[in-house]
Amino acid sequence: MLSRVFQAYGHVCAAHPWEVIVGTITLTSCLMSMSLFTGHDKICGWNYVCSREEVPHGPENIFLTVARCAAVLYIYIQFRNLRKSGSNYLLGIAGMFTIFSSFVFSSAVVNLIQADVSGLKDALPVFLLLVDIKKASALAKLALSSKSEMEIKDHIAQGMSLIGPTMTLDAVVETLVIALGTLSGIRQVEITSNFAWLSVVTNYLAFMTFYPACLALILELSRDGHGGTPMWYFHQKFAKVLQEEEEKKPNPVIQSIKVIMSAGLVLVHAHSRWGGEPSEGILSDGLSQLDLDTLGLQQEVTPDQSLWQFYLLSALQMDTDHVIMLALAAFLTVKYIYFDYDLDTQINLINNKVSPRPEGEDCTMGISTSTKEVEDDVISTATKSRHASFIIGDDDSSSESEKESKETQTELNDLFKPLTLRASSPPRDLEECKEILNSDEGPDELTDEEIMLLVKDKHIPSYKLENILGDYKRGVAIRRKLVSRTLASASAFKNIPYDNYQYKYVDGACCENVIGYIPVPVGVAGPLLLNNRQYQVPMATTEGALVASTNRGCRALSMSNGVSSVVIGDSMTRAPVVRLPDASKASQLKRWLDIPQNFEKVKESFDSTSRFCRLQKIQTCQAGRTVYLRFIALTGDAMGMNMVSKGSERALRVLHKQFPDMETMSVSGNYCTDKKASAINWIEGRGKSVVCEATIPASVVQSILKTNVQSLVDLNISKNLIGSAMAGSVGGFNAHAANVVAALFIATGQDPAQTVTSANCITLMEAVGKDRGDLYISCTMPSIEVGTVGGGTILPPQAACLQMLGLHGASDTSPGQNAAELASVICATVLAGELSLMSALAAGHLVKSHLKHNRSQLNVIPSLPTVKEDQSSSERTKITR
């Protein structure tokens, strides 16, 4: 029962971190201000001369010095042990917790002793001795093993259910036991006991309020992307961490004894403090008479300095024992930062443990001979090949070593390296491998052959290799080996690179069962002058002449005052299909949604699922007893399919309450319509609806495009309008819009499959101006489905292409502005491509340009007669032509 209460409490803290953090800080500030500067109008040592307690000397002074140094040493040991976990996030989070707890404790001490700041010198060492970072790091480990926002909340809640009850009971027992010292009548013991129980309470309150909320907020804000594996991911399975914490749960008998002892201590305190007459030394306000004597406000004097100067000088006055403590703290800090590097070396060795191989032993032991021979052939061939580098991404904020790993470089001699198998001859049996996998050592102690054995026996799902191993590259390499054994040709992977890639962005977001990546050439067209702003447009394509043709169109547009664009529509759609008992009930649902008040109910539920997704309207269509509900919503800078799907599911719950006999057949009923040619997208629009236009002077048409206006207008009517109509085209009233859309989609991380609908375009051309000598051209694209956040935009190369356009991420000023601008760029680039291709067709240059740009010499030359080495260059030119 108690565990469920703490679990619910932990979930609230993790789900509402801002509210909890602001509330905690506000309450702390209020408590500080209650008496920090106003608790006493008589400040000892400032405006009153007071009798001071004697300074301890002799054995007592030595004992206090040792205690203070032990406190500093204890904190150092705790942080050093945390460093062995290998997670910098654990260090940072534990440090944050200690600093905040120390701040709250210091505030409480200052208030308790009526703003005598010098008391902090004795209070803080006591706090450092009693603060326990282990529980804070345990909860952090559980949270760091999360891979999504929802998992963070669930894991923190489960951690609180495990740690909360035990910590609460321990705090109660410690407080009651330590508080007995306040009844001793011995001055120094009373002061130390007061500091001690206060430190226990402060540590507990900070852990139960500020810490889980701050932990959830930090991890949520530090996600390195939108949906990928977080940068703070602690590569240890949650089940294992949870099991470790459950094993640390104390014995129930001991817990029962603590409860009984607590009840007895409560009775002792009640009898001592309230059961009889107050002792001579204790006053009703909780301060002993000795405390007041120490304050001893006996003689008023005129202050010779301001109050803040008095506090500062009081805090800086240190005795010998304080100097020794600070010197030890400084020494240990320097040692921890600069000389404990051996810990990092040990951690790296553990995380990348490779068993030593006997000299001369084959690193591919256990691999079939045929496969090994293929790999050797690949390596020898690649080594002889000429070095090549293909850089498609970088991150200027990273260190040099990180930049090298983030530059997705494809080197021919790294295309397919043999796996570095951990030596084990022969592989251990299956049962032993299973035990090792489930042990604390985990998969790091298994060789790659043993991992493959576990995959083959279904103990490790192949699609979970990266997560279970905690090593993306090793997971991909092992999967390649597994798949290669089933292929007709073991050399199929020869030219599919897998090294030097940031798979953490791919995992859980972009692709599954990863075996590598495909480098695609990226060209640039431009500058494209759009709305008085120049863009260099990245285009990823394997079609020769496409970039060159688009680039010519951009040049013609730049010489003609550029392109103007307007976004006339912005809405992503999702259309669930529902079924009712009969057509009459189906029509009732349709009419019910037409009532504005009912729509607002559905909209409220829909909008609650996202900060950016906002329902605009619901378009309904009935077929028999089936109803299609096309939810139309704004989605900010995201393409928004997932947002709208999530909102649609929530809205359907509202409809189910109103129509209990309604059956949801599918969240998508193809009335959306997604990734399929459809008239509804062409007519109603989907995503961003954009119109671009430009006027090209006759001189530019003749000098750059090598044709004339009338020829272009006639060709556009015959080809793009009449020809497409004769073919029964839907949205295909253009020359090659899909070419440009696909190239931009691949370069900027959009969904290439949505080229089907996003390339809907009608190209119009007219003769305008004086003597109708100039060319007016426009492209209308009603369904460009793009986003600048989420999906493939999180991959560094694709993000770099968006950065080229200045459109990476969400807009800082207006949600949705970046995505709308990207759609405008795409439409304007399509216009440039249409202009250039239509001009080439009108002038009869299409075949010539493709022969020049779209014919690979690697494919053409072998079929031609052999050219002798002593042939002249002119003869060679004739042959290649």
Side-chain angles (χ1 to χ4, degrees), residues 134 137-138 141 166 241-251:
K134 292 180 181 178
S137 63
K141 277 186 179 181
T166 303
V241 180
L242 193 64
Q243 182 180 0
E244 290 175 357
E245 295 307 316
E246 287 179 344
E247 290 174 355
K248 294 177 184 177
K249 290 177 70 174
N251 192 308

Side-chain angles (χ1 to χ4, degrees), residues 267-380:
L267 293 177
V268 171
H269 281 282
H271 179 269
S272 301
R273 299 179 186 277
W274 304 293
E277 295 295 327
S279 63
E280 182 178 353
I282 305 297
L283 299 182
S284 58
D285 62 355
L287 292 174
S288 66
Q289 183 65 45
L290 190 57
D291 288 333
L292 292 180
D293 290 341
T294 300
L295 290 174
L297 308 177
Q298 296 137 351
Q299 182 179 355
E300 185 174 2
V301 296
T302 302
D304 57 355
Q305 57 187 345
S306 61
L307 184 57
W308 71 268
Q309 291 175 323
F310 169 73
Y311 281 131
L312 180 62
L313 291 175
S314 299
L316 293 177
Q317 290 176 357
M318 294 184 292
D319 299 327
T320 304
D321 55 339
H322 295 121
V323 173
I324 294 174
M325 182 188 70
L326 289 177
L328 177 63
F331 169 75
L332 292 177
T333 302
V334 172
K335 181 179 182 297
Y336 181 83
I337 296 174
Y338 296 104
F339 298 99
D340 283 350
Y341 57 84
D342 59 312
L343 280 178
D344 297 325
T345 305
Q346 294 172 13
I347 292 166
N348 292 333
L349 288 175
I350 292 172
N351 290 339
N352 304 287
K353 187 173 181 181
V354 180
S355 302
R357 293 189 299 271
E359 186 176 354
E361 181 175 334
D362 194 344
C363 67
T364 58
M365 176 176 26
I367 303 179
S368 63
T369 305
S370 60
T371 306
K372 180 175 178 293
E373 289 173 354
V374 170
E375 289 180 354
D376 291 341
D377 180 64
V378 172
I379 297 303
S380 62

